[in-house]
Amino acid sequence: MKITFLGAAQTVTGSCYVIQTEHARFAVDCGMFQGGSAMEERNFETVNYMPEELDFVLLTHAHIDHSGLLPRLVKQGFAGGIYCTAPTADLVSIMLEDSAHIQEMELEWRNKHKVRRGEPVDPADEALYDTEDALATAKLLRPVEFGQELAPAEGVKVKFRYAGHILGAAFLEIAVTEGGRTTRLVFSGDLGRPGALLLPDAEMPESPDWLFVESTYGDRDHKGESDTLNELAEAVDYSFRRGEKVIIPAFAVERTQEILYSLYLLKLEGRLPEGMPIYVDSPLATKATKVFLKYAHLLHTPEIASIPIHDPEGGVIFTQTAQDSMKLNVMRGPAIILSASGMCNAGRVRHHLKHNLWRRGVSIVFVGYQAIGTPGRKLVDGAKSLRLFGEDVTVAARIFTIGGFSAHAGQSQLLEWIGGMARPDLNICLVHGEPKAQQILAGLIKERFGITAFIPEYLEEAVIEGTAAPEVAAPPARARKSVDWGFLTGELEQRVAQIRSRLATASELPWEEQVELRDRLAEIERELFVFLTHL
């Protein structure tokens, strides 16, 4: 069989692996790329997926970096079944519809921006996908029970097993039979950390021939639950004492619910300030919380269904409209605001950052992974200012990073899970991780188990059979587009020369126009200064 790595190859987003067997062509996950522009451009390159030729998709869980391109595939002709667990089906339906709305709004924003600048709107420019595509995708979802054996095509058998990452998350046990020989694969999806507040631990699979395992935190471990709650309490207390807000960028699914449960625990311990309101400002999180309550029996803490986290009388208020959200930005006094997106690259949280990032006494609390290129990653890495809605906003708020809330297994936990399957002829492929984390984890796997892990590149292909070493085809040149810095700097130098030439006669212009030109040039100079601080 041949596996093509179409995403989450030396990066943490865009998970997608297309598998070609004797009898079928299918994908494990189909996620959206998130991060800088170079990453997000890949979302439009779905011709690589050949959607019309895919027979089916196996979806490990609902997170957008694993599911977010499914409507794009449907838009381009995919019509097969999308197999996933029942909770994943419920969650992904609302998440993809929300994502489609964001795509439509971004297209509308781009077109309005062009009109304001006097540029023509290209009729061929379209959203990545729209609400109609998302609704069509939901009709293709095929819920499967945990542990149930599925045979979606000749020579392919699949089981969904508990992964412990988010509600409904599964790792996949896949058996592919070709020419009378069976090759067993395990795709970890995103593996949860043991002892999580809400979810049971991941199961241990039987040792496969090939293990495709995530490596998000391959370079470090997380803090324990008590340390995590202490850090959250510290962040809340810091802003409460200063009469300011606590802004928590949180993924709408799992993270928001876990933070709410953590705040409930702090309240029980008397460590949550009396009368400090909690707002969940994310329509998607509101819907997702209802799904969590529906499947409370699958949680490690089913008693969450009886906790008044969805009741204003319990101190938690779910905002309903955009107007409700805007009121939070003019409201004074301490409050806790949970808002999406978790990486601050979209959603209402960007407005909360614009209104609060520059305020001393405010806490910005990151409780999840921040991918390279995202606004959240820039803040975690110590940015002094952040570009929001065309404006550079100074960072005066205190930034907290609480790794213990991560829904991913840490380094030691990954090694322990891998160790349960390790044997001399096991093939290990590290996916869903940044290069540094992958190299560190690969070194530890070699040291502990004597296995040399394979780290694929974007668009790389590998032919595998049984436990034999893979035949690897290098990725095409288009995988990483080179940046022509010489061309860009040359163009900049030409523009500077043109400015000098034309300013020679600027003194002849009316004084008001000169001042306006001076201010615009000063703004450009400031943009260049900010650019230089990033080099």
Side-chain angles (χ1 to χ4, degrees), residues 439-452:
Q439 291 296 337
I440 291 174
L441 185 60
L444 291 171
I445 290 172
K446 179 68 174 178
E447 177 184 310
R448 188 169 300 186
F449 309 118
I451 300 171
T452 300

Side-chain angles (χ1 to χ4, degrees), residues 5 18 36 212 225 346 458:
F5 298 90
V18 170
F212 298 82
E225 179 184 319
Y458 175 56

Side-chain angles (χ1 to χ4, degrees), residues 26 33 35 99 102 177 191 227 249 268 275 288 290 296 356 384 400 402 407 418 438-439 464 475 484-485 526:
F26 63 96
F33 288 95
S99 177
I102 291 173
T177 302
L191 199 65
D227 291 332
L268 289 182
K290 294 178 181 178
N356 291 280
K384 302 302 181 185
F400 290 82
I402 307 179
I418 293 169
Q438 292 184 319
Q439 291 296 337
I464 66 173
D484 191 343
W485 295 111
R526 172 172 166 74

